[in-house]
Amino acid sequence: MILLTPEMRERLLANGREPDADHVPVVKFFNPLGEGVWLATELDSDGDTLFGLADLGEPELGSFSLAEMTAVRLPFDMAIERDLLFEGMVPISVWVEAAQQTGSIRAAERMLYAAVRSNARASDALPVTL
């Protein structure tokens, strides 16, 4: 699987040119056989160094290598994958806080998606004014 599409790469590089901004994650990578989830918001101009939230047992904000993730070989000839259905929804600071509260990116994702869905339902119930 291609871990980054050209569009994702461009968004990550653009975000990398604004390192002090609170970006929404562009892509989620995961280990399909166990621990390991990464949310990337930025890509350095070297084309390898990603920045975002990584969870290898404890969520941590920092840098990680695309080349190293690509090189990982798991049992059954599997590898690190990109979550094709991932939607960043909220800035990385919200992800960090949710992951610290829940203990993992996966638990934070369930919590944040539920919150976004409930907010969407609440806004659908509001009367429409013309």
Side-chain angles (χ1 to χ4, degrees), residues 5-118:
T5 65
E7 295 81 15
M8 289 174 172
R9 183 176 293 279
E10 285 305 314
R11 282 183 51 206
L12 289 163
L13 286 166
N15 288 351
R17 291 187 285 274
E18 298 177 27
D20 295 329
D22 192 11
H23 298 290
V24 172
V26 173
V27 61
K28 173 186 168 191
F29 306 109
F30 66 97
N31 174 347
L33 298 178
E35 280 192 298
V37 179
W38 301 262
L39 302 179
T41 58
E42 302 167 29
L43 178 62
D44 194 66
S45 60
D46 67 7
D48 179 54
T49 306
L50 293 158
F51 179 82
L53 185 62
D55 185 352
L56 298 169
E58 184 175 325
E60 184 178 338
L61 193 62
S63 298
F64 43 95
S65 168
L66 181 60
E68 286 180 14
M69 285 195 313
T70 302
V72 171
R73 288 294 155 240
L74 301 167
F76 310 110
D77 201 31
M78 295 186 80
I80 301 300
E81 295 186 15
R82 174 172 40 96
D83 184 340
L84 300 175
L85 302 177
F86 176 73
E87 297 177 40
M89 300 175 303
V90 295
I92 195 68
S93 62
V94 176
W95 281 97
V96 170
E97 184 177 339
Q100 288 172 342
Q101 286 178 6
T102 62
S104 74
I105 291 175
R106 287 184 170 123
E109 186 172 29
R110 289 188 295 273
M111 182 180 80
L112 291 172
Y113 280 176
V116 167
R117 280 194 304 272
S118 69

